[in-house]
Amino acid sequence: MDLTELRTANPEHWAKAAAIRALTLDAVAAANSGHSGMPMGMADVATVLFEKHLKFDASAPKWPDRDRFILSAGHGSMLIYSLLHLCGDAQVTLDQIKNFRQMGALTAGHPENFLLDAVETTTGPLGQGLANAVGFAMAEEMQRAQYGRKIVDHYTYVMAGDGCLMEGISQEAMGLAGRHSLGKLILFWDNNNITIDGTVELSDRTNQVQRFKASGWQVIEIDGHDPVAIDEAITAAKKSKKPSMIACKTHIALGHAAQDTSKGHGALTDADQMKAAKEAYGWTTGPFEVPADIKSQWEAIGSRGAADRAEWEGRFAEVSKQKQDRFNRAYALDTPNKLSAAVKALKKQVSEDQPKVATRKASEMALAVINPIMPETVGGSADLTGSNLTKTGDMGVFDTDNRKGRFVYWGIREHGMAAAMNGMALHGGIRPYSGTFFCFTDYARPSMRLAALSKIPSVFVMTHDSIGVGEDGPTHQPVEHLAICRATPNTYVFRPADAVETAESWEIALSAKETPSVLSLTRQGLPTVRTEHKLSNLTSKGAYVLADAESKRQVILIATGSEVAIAMDAKAKLEAEGIGTRVVSMPCMELFAAQDEAYRRKVLPAGPVRVGIEAAVRAGGWDKWLMGERGQDKKAAFVGMDSFGASAPAGELYEKFGITADATVAKVKDLLG
């Protein structure tokens, strides 16, 4: 690669791209940590994209109709930080660049959406950004159909490397994008043939071009360092009705001694080699210094979109007040005023009718009253629609001929589904929820974790939540999954006991703005335990007294979900023997922990023995409530699982594993001596 030819062929472009490369080298060297090679290799592509195509305004990074730029290869974070600083983003100052990867800096090792407004999504785990981008592009299609092209008309650009395409989630994402003809999704593949261990051939021989074509994408192959070819490829991609993959043949760590080697992937900090690379670029200023003329050119790029934004604001002002209010409310993640009344009415009906229904069915009942008044909800299922019960009659199916459809058939793609949901939520204006079996959180977990980390209020509907699954056996019977979900910070895990608690859980989940929710729902029918209608949302307290002791209180039974009914049966047996028993329903441990200490003590006072009942393992927070928050209540026991399940009818399984009212009574008597 003759850098002199590149420099002289298009000197203005070269100088702007060199600014990205120089800032990357300086920041990584100062941190003595990071990944230099990817930003150095993809600087040309990024420069052309930002200068000639990307619709954005550096002074308003959250403008709704901006193009979205996603760096799936998040380890190359200095690419986006350099771009934002050069374009004049107010958050990414030179001091932030100098403090790359340091405590308190906004310029974290991988891009974090909750630190910088212009970072669309948190990336780092490879392939996630690509799958997020599919969700962004789907959201754009849905909203364009709903609000019209005058209000919603933008592209989603995503930059991915060889590692992103090796991860299995990439195939799930590619298949979805191709199936749905997401023509406004454009992927840049950083085709540098290098991974940390060495060349790609060490571990892979996939023909990525053919793979994308087979998945329904347009593919354009270019020299990733030729600005004319890059420009022409993006122009062609924007005209396609298919999603486009631009295969950019690049050199990792371009111009450095580590170019085209695995060493070029990581931190390049050798002073002599840095000096030589900068000389090859024709870069003569000191560390972190960008010549005024180059910085001025970049700032002009950053401000160019202000006119587009002003035009959009004018168009937006012309639409009806009703449409403006709906658009703004959805983007603000505010629920409609009707939601509370609708949930209260459903709760009242359930308390009166007292149906025995599975909480997955109760979820469908709740969605039937919620979806018509929340047009921003988008539901789906990973090929389990008839089991998850996430589709309501008013939604319509999202497809190539119905972009207004609000239900997505995700196929058997739990990981891609969850990641795309996150992308939809981050796009703005969409409230995504989708379902699968609870045991398949194992497949969706990386995206569920990133929802929590990134403060994305996606709703994960997880049905068939225990050994109550029955005959499908232990492969489909989750026992450890509640503990795993509860161990994840910033996650609401709801396990409602009946249709009333299920409706309340949905109200909370759809009101959350920075916290994802997991709804753990049963396959088997459950009796209504909330037979007295309450206007207040008791589930919002996390736990509450469902039934208090009739005799002198000696026992507190704490239960969740399907086991609350077992606790109520055990209470009846204990009270018949004069043993006063309180039943506490605990649909959400996280919300209970967030209550003030006075309330927690009122619900779980010291003194009585405590027994927890849940058809899952004891881990994941139970000891805190059983032993007391200070560990003072030592007389406690747990009725639940300590092994995997088995294949048999649900009732037989509950008997086999001792999750019954009689087993609970026996535990209580042992504790009371």
Side-chain angles (χ1 to χ4, degrees), residues 75-98:
H75 56 273
S77 57
M78 267 310 301
L79 178 70
I80 196 167
Y81 299 149
S82 297
L83 288 162
L84 294 177
H85 171 67
L86 290 166
C87 287
D89 185 287
Q91 289 182 300
V92 188
T93 63
L94 190 59
D95 281 343
Q96 291 292 341
I97 297 291
K98 290 179 178 179

mmCIF file of all heavy atoms in Angstrom, residues 75-98:
data_model
loop_
_atom_site.group_PDB
_atom_site.id
_atom_site.type_symbol
_atom_site.label_atom_id
_atom_site.label_comp_id
_atom_site.label_asym_id
_atom_site.label_seq_id
_atom_site.Cartn_x
_atom_site.Cartn_y
_atom_site.Cartn_z
ATOM 1 N N HIS A 75 -14.894 -2.173 19.866
ATOM 2 C CA HIS A 75 -13.527 -2.002 20.361
ATOM 3 C C HIS A 75 -12.824 -0.864 19.626
ATOM 4 O O HIS A 75 -11.886 -0.268 20.151
ATOM 5 C CB HIS A 75 -12.721 -3.298 20.204
ATOM 6 C CG HIS A 75 -12.676 -3.814 18.802
ATOM 7 N ND1 HIS A 75 -13.652 -4.636 18.289
ATOM 8 C CD2 HIS A 75 -11.790 -3.621 17.801
ATOM 9 C CE1 HIS A 75 -13.362 -4.936 17.035
ATOM 10 N NE2 HIS A 75 -12.243 -4.322 16.708
ATOM 11 N N GLY A 76 -13.290 -0.548 18.418
ATOM 12 C CA GLY A 76 -12.708 0.562 17.665
ATOM 13 C C GLY A 76 -13.313 1.898 18.052
ATOM 14 O O GLY A 76 -13.514 2.775 17.205
ATOM 15 N N SER A 77 -13.593 2.078 19.323
ATOM 16 C CA SER A 77 -14.340 3.236 19.810
ATOM 17 C C SER A 77 -13.683 4.570 19.497
ATOM 18 O O SER A 77 -14.369 5.589 19.377
ATOM 19 C CB SER A 77 -14.558 3.129 21.323
ATOM 20 O OG SER A 77 -13.313 2.996 21.999
ATOM 21 N N MET A 78 -12.346 4.592 19.349
ATOM 22 C CA MET A 78 -11.716 5.870 19.040
ATOM 23 C C MET A 78 -12.129 6.384 17.664
ATOM 24 O O MET A 78 -11.992 7.581 17.385
ATOM 25 C CB MET A 78 -10.191 5.777 19.138
ATOM 26 C CG MET A 78 -9.630 6.162 20.505
ATOM 27 S SD MET A 78 -10.234 7.737 21.179
ATOM 28 C CE MET A 78 -9.730 8.889 19.905
ATOM 29 N N LEU A 79 -12.671 5.537 16.825
ATOM 30 C CA LEU A 79 -13.197 6.017 15.549
ATOM 31 C C LEU A 79 -14.355 6.972 15.794
ATOM 32 O O LEU A 79 -14.377 8.103 15.284
ATOM 33 C CB LEU A 79 -13.651 4.842 14.676
ATOM 34 C CG LEU A 79 -14.274 5.236 13.335
ATOM 35 C CD1 LEU A 79 -13.215 5.799 12.399
ATOM 36 C CD2 LEU A 79 -14.982 4.052 12.691
ATOM 37 N N ILE A 80 -15.324 6.537 16.594
ATOM 38 C CA ILE A 80 -16.494 7.379 16.815
ATOM 39 C C ILE A 80 -16.158 8.574 17.700
ATOM 40 O O ILE A 80 -16.665 9.681 17.492
ATOM 41 C CB ILE A 80 -17.677 6.556 17.379
ATOM 42 C CG1 ILE A 80 -18.974 7.349 17.227
ATOM 43 C CG2 ILE A 80 -17.447 6.112 18.800
ATOM 44 C CD1 ILE A 80 -20.225 6.521 17.466
ATOM 45 N N TYR A 81 -15.266 8.389 18.682
ATOM 46 C CA TYR A 81 -14.897 9.526 19.527
ATOM 47 C C TYR A 81 -14.161 10.588 18.714
ATOM 48 O O TYR A 81 -14.391 11.792 18.891
ATOM 49 C CB TYR A 81 -14.032 9.068 20.701
ATOM 50 C CG TYR A 81 -14.696 8.082 21.634
ATOM 51 C CD1 TYR A 81 -13.952 7.125 22.319
ATOM 52 C CD2 TYR A 81 -16.080 8.093 21.831
ATOM 53 C CE1 TYR A 81 -14.548 6.222 23.176
ATOM 54 C CE2 TYR A 81 -16.688 7.183 22.688
ATOM 55 C CZ TYR A 81 -15.922 6.248 23.359
ATOM 56 O OH TYR A 81 -16.514 5.348 24.205
ATOM 57 N N SER A 82 -13.275 10.149 17.818
ATOM 58 C CA SER A 82 -12.565 11.106 16.966
ATOM 59 C C SER A 82 -13.548 11.853 16.083
ATOM 60 O O SER A 82 -13.480 13.085 15.946
ATOM 61 C CB SER A 82 -11.530 10.377 16.097
ATOM 62 O OG SER A 82 -10.538 9.767 16.884
ATOM 63 N N LEU A 83 -14.475 11.128 15.474
ATOM 64 C CA LEU A 83 -15.463 11.755 14.600
ATOM 65 C C LEU A 83 -16.297 12.784 15.352
ATOM 66 O O LEU A 83 -16.528 13.900 14.861
ATOM 67 C CB LEU A 83 -16.372 10.685 13.998
ATOM 68 C CG LEU A 83 -15.748 9.788 12.924
ATOM 69 C CD1 LEU A 83 -16.581 8.522 12.728
ATOM 70 C CD2 LEU A 83 -15.607 10.542 11.603
ATOM 71 N N LEU A 84 -16.751 12.420 16.545
ATOM 72 C CA LEU A 84 -17.594 13.335 17.307
ATOM 73 C C LEU A 84 -16.819 14.579 17.726
ATOM 74 O O LEU A 84 -17.327 15.708 17.635
ATOM 75 C CB LEU A 84 -18.179 12.618 18.528
ATOM 76 C CG LEU A 84 -19.169 11.488 18.221
ATOM 77 C CD1 LEU A 84 -19.623 10.809 19.500
ATOM 78 C CD2 LEU A 84 -20.371 12.016 17.448
ATOM 79 N N HIS A 85 -15.596 14.385 18.182
ATOM 80 C CA HIS A 85 -14.783 15.547 18.567
ATOM 81 C C HIS A 85 -14.508 16.454 17.370
ATOM 82 O O HIS A 85 -14.684 17.680 17.447
ATOM 83 C CB HIS A 85 -13.467 15.098 19.185
ATOM 84 C CG HIS A 85 -12.508 16.232 19.393
ATOM 85 N ND1 HIS A 85 -12.748 17.244 20.295
ATOM 86 C CD2 HIS A 85 -11.323 16.537 18.780
ATOM 87 C CE1 HIS A 85 -11.745 18.121 20.247
ATOM 88 N NE2 HIS A 85 -10.880 17.713 19.339
ATOM 89 N N LEU A 86 -14.114 15.863 16.281
ATOM 90 C CA LEU A 86 -13.779 16.662 15.102
ATOM 91 C C LEU A 86 -14.999 17.415 14.577
ATOM 92 O O LEU A 86 -14.889 18.565 14.117
ATOM 93 C CB LEU A 86 -13.213 15.758 14.010
ATOM 94 C CG LEU A 86 -11.818 15.178 14.284
ATOM 95 C CD1 LEU A 86 -11.504 14.052 13.313
ATOM 96 C CD2 LEU A 86 -10.752 16.272 14.212
ATOM 97 N N CYS A 87 -16.178 16.795 14.655
ATOM 98 C CA CYS A 87 -17.392 17.432 14.137
ATOM 99 C C CYS A 87 -17.966 18.489 15.071
ATOM 100 O O CYS A 87 -18.921 19.179 14.710
ATOM 101 C CB CYS A 87 -18.453 16.374 13.858
ATOM 102 S SG CYS A 87 -18.103 15.363 12.395
ATOM 103 N N GLY A 88 -17.405 18.599 16.261
ATOM 104 C CA GLY A 88 -17.863 19.641 17.168
ATOM 105 C C GLY A 88 -18.901 19.212 18.171
ATOM 106 O O GLY A 88 -19.608 20.062 18.732
ATOM 107 N N ASP A 89 -19.023 17.915 18.436
ATOM 108 C CA ASP A 89 -19.942 17.448 19.467
ATOM 109 C C ASP A 89 -19.528 18.048 20.814
ATOM 110 O O ASP A 89 -18.376 17.931 21.236
ATOM 111 C CB ASP A 89 -19.912 15.918 19.538
ATOM 112 C CG ASP A 89 -20.933 15.361 20.506
ATOM 113 O OD1 ASP A 89 -20.740 15.486 21.724
ATOM 114 O OD2 ASP A 89 -21.936 14.785 20.036
ATOM 115 N N ALA A 90 -20.486 18.681 21.508
ATOM 116 C CA ALA A 90 -20.167 19.408 22.738
ATOM 117 C C ALA A 90 -19.687 18.496 23.858
ATOM 118 O O ALA A 90 -18.945 18.936 24.748
ATOM 119 C CB ALA A 90 -21.395 20.197 23.197
ATOM 120 N N GLN A 91 -20.093 17.236 23.843
ATOM 121 C CA GLN A 91 -19.710 16.331 24.922
ATOM 122 C C GLN A 91 -18.288 15.799 24.767
ATOM 123 O O GLN A 91 -17.603 15.556 25.755
ATOM 124 C CB GLN A 91 -20.691 15.154 24.985
ATOM 125 C CG GLN A 91 -22.072 15.524 25.493
ATOM 126 C CD GLN A 91 -22.967 14.308 25.582
ATOM 127 O OE1 GLN A 91 -23.233 13.635 24.583
ATOM 128 N NE2 GLN A 91 -23.447 14.010 26.780
ATOM 129 N N VAL A 92 -17.855 15.596 23.526
ATOM 130 C CA VAL A 92 -16.556 14.966 23.295
ATOM 131 C C VAL A 92 -15.501 16.057 23.077
ATOM 132 O O VAL A 92 -15.097 16.358 21.957
ATOM 133 C CB VAL A 92 -16.605 13.977 22.120
ATOM 134 C CG1 VAL A 92 -15.293 13.192 22.039
ATOM 135 C CG2 VAL A 92 -17.763 13.005 22.297
ATOM 136 N N THR A 93 -15.083 16.637 24.181
ATOM 137 C CA THR A 93 -14.056 17.673 24.147
ATOM 138 C C THR A 93 -12.683 17.043 23.974
ATOM 139 O O THR A 93 -12.521 15.812 24.074
ATOM 140 C CB THR A 93 -14.081 18.479 25.451
ATOM 141 O OG1 THR A 93 -13.758 17.582 26.541
ATOM 142 C CG2 THR A 93 -15.453 19.094 25.690
ATOM 143 N N LEU A 94 -11.686 17.884 23.774
ATOM 144 C CA LEU A 94 -10.324 17.365 23.655
ATOM 145 C C LEU A 94 -9.886 16.704 24.952
ATOM 146 O O LEU A 94 -9.158 15.694 24.933
ATOM 147 C CB LEU A 94 -9.355 18.494 23.273
ATOM 148 C CG LEU A 94 -7.935 18.042 22.894
ATOM 149 C CD1 LEU A 94 -7.971 17.090 21.700
ATOM 150 C CD2 LEU A 94 -7.053 19.256 22.572
ATOM 151 N N ASP A 95 -10.346 17.234 26.085
ATOM 152 C CA ASP A 95 -10.009 16.602 27.365
ATOM 153 C C ASP A 95 -10.591 15.196 27.446
ATOM 154 O O ASP A 95 -9.967 14.288 28.020
ATOM 155 C CB ASP A 95 -10.532 17.446 28.532
ATOM 156 C CG ASP A 95 -9.637 18.638 28.838
ATOM 157 O OD1 ASP A 95 -8.472 18.635 28.389
ATOM 158 O OD2 ASP A 95 -10.107 19.562 29.521
ATOM 159 N N GLN A 96 -11.772 15.000 26.898
ATOM 160 C CA GLN A 96 -12.352 13.659 26.887
ATOM 161 C C GLN A 96 -11.518 12.717 26.027
ATOM 162 O O GLN A 96 -11.312 11.552 26.399
ATOM 163 C CB GLN A 96 -13.791 13.715 26.369
ATOM 164 C CG GLN A 96 -14.775 14.392 27.305
ATOM 165 C CD GLN A 96 -15.029 13.605 28.575
ATOM 166 O OE1 GLN A 96 -14.769 12.398 28.661
ATOM 167 N NE2 GLN A 96 -15.529 14.278 29.600
ATOM 168 N N ILE A 97 -11.022 13.207 24.909
ATOM 169 C CA ILE A 97 -10.149 12.389 24.066
ATOM 170 C C ILE A 97 -8.855 12.056 24.814
ATOM 171 O O ILE A 97 -8.381 10.908 24.789
ATOM 172 C CB ILE A 97 -9.821 13.119 22.745
ATOM 173 C CG1 ILE A 97 -11.100 13.346 21.913
ATOM 174 C CG2 ILE A 97 -8.790 12.346 21.931
ATOM 175 C CD1 ILE A 97 -11.719 12.104 21.341
ATOM 176 N N LYS A 98 -8.319 13.024 25.504
ATOM 177 C CA LYS A 98 -7.077 12.802 26.255
ATOM 178 C C LYS A 98 -7.277 11.824 27.407
ATOM 179 O O LYS A 98 -6.315 11.185 27.851
ATOM 180 C CB LYS A 98 -6.542 14.132 26.789
ATOM 181 C CG LYS A 98 -5.997 15.064 25.712
ATOM 182 C CD LYS A 98 -5.501 16.370 26.320
ATOM 183 C CE LYS A 98 -4.908 17.290 25.257
ATOM 184 N NZ LYS A 98 -4.439 18.579 25.841
#
